[in-house]
Amino acid sequence: MALTADQILAAQKANLDTLFGLTTKAFEGVEKLIELNVTASKAALAEAASTAQASLNVKDAQELLTLQASLFQPLAEKTAAYSRHLYDIAQGTSAEFTKAFEAKAAEAQQTFVGLVDSASKNAPAGSETAVAVLKSAVAAANNAFESVQKAVKQASDVAEANFNAVSTQAVAAAKTATVARKR
């Protein structure tokens, strides 16, 4: 089974559409990252001004310690929130690339299996063993690919769970430290 010029052109068009779609998704991810950083920078600047003003109004060391303690917990919570937004942007962009890759990989597998089936139908007599070995190798490769995909998905799920746990612990530690400082 040979590929026709129309099939090659259709494949090239599909690849080009995928490339432009992924490029658009990458730019959307960058835009979200820039928007997140601009928002965080504006908030940090406003908080710095507010903190500086509050520091100028401090009358004694105890009041200064109380002010510092009151700033620590919100800072940890904001850092955790920023990290969560950053992680979500990265995951969303990565998911789009993974989905496109999996679709192209599945398409390539189907095409290859079709070529193997076509070749096996037209194989000369006596080559049944070689065809069976080739089909077995293709099936093993497909199973290995699916196993790798499952392992990557599991690793991604574990990484996300760990990220969430660390964020929660960091915010909890900041709350505990703030309460301890106020005493």
Side-chain angles (χ1 to χ4, degrees):
M1 176 177 130
L3 293 176
T4 65
D6 288 341
Q7 288 172 320
I8 293 170
L9 286 174
Q12 291 297 334
K13 182 185 180 311
N15 289 338
L16 196 59
D17 289 345
T18 300
L19 176 65
F20 282 123
L22 291 176
T23 302
T24 300
K25 291 296 178 186
F27 276 112
E28 287 174 5
V30 170
E31 285 175 341
K32 288 177 184 176
L33 183 60
I34 290 169
E35 181 181 336
L36 174 64
N37 286 332
V38 167
T39 301
S41 296
K42 284 180 180 179
L45 187 59
E47 288 172 23
S50 174
T51 301
Q53 188 62 41
S55 296
L56 292 174
N57 295 329
V58 168
K59 297 186 179 32
D60 59 24
Q62 183 60 39
E63 199 174 331
L64 180 61
L65 289 175
T66 303
L67 176 64
Q68 285 178 332
S70 71
L71 298 174
F72 186 67
Q73 181 183 343
L75 177 62
E77 290 172 352
K78 288 173 185 159
T79 301
Y82 175 84
S83 296
R84 168 47 73 194
H85 285 302
L86 189 60
Y87 182 80
D88 288 345
I89 291 169
Q91 280 295 98
T93 303
S94 175
E96 290 294 328
F97 279 84
T98 300
K99 188 168 75 174
F101 172 75
E102 287 174 354
K104 284 296 178 186
E107 183 181 313
Q109 282 177 333
Q110 288 177 340
T111 301
F112 186 68
V113 168
L115 288 171
V116 169
D117 285 343
S118 177
S120 67
K121 289 176 186 170
N122 298 322
S127 62
E128 292 82 15
T129 303
V131 169
V133 167
L134 181 60
K135 283 186 174 184
S136 177
V138 169
N142 286 341
N143 288 339
F145 181 72
E146 288 173 9
S147 295
V148 168
Q149 282 181 315
K150 287 177 186 174
V152 167
K153 173 76 169 110
Q154 287 174 344
S156 178
D157 291 346
V158 167
E160 183 168 5
N162 288 341
F163 178 83
N164 290 334
V166 168
S167 294
T168 301
Q169 288 173 352
V171 171
K175 286 179 182 178
T176 302
T178 301
V179 169
R181 285 185 183 172
K182 287 183 179 179
R183 290 181 184 171

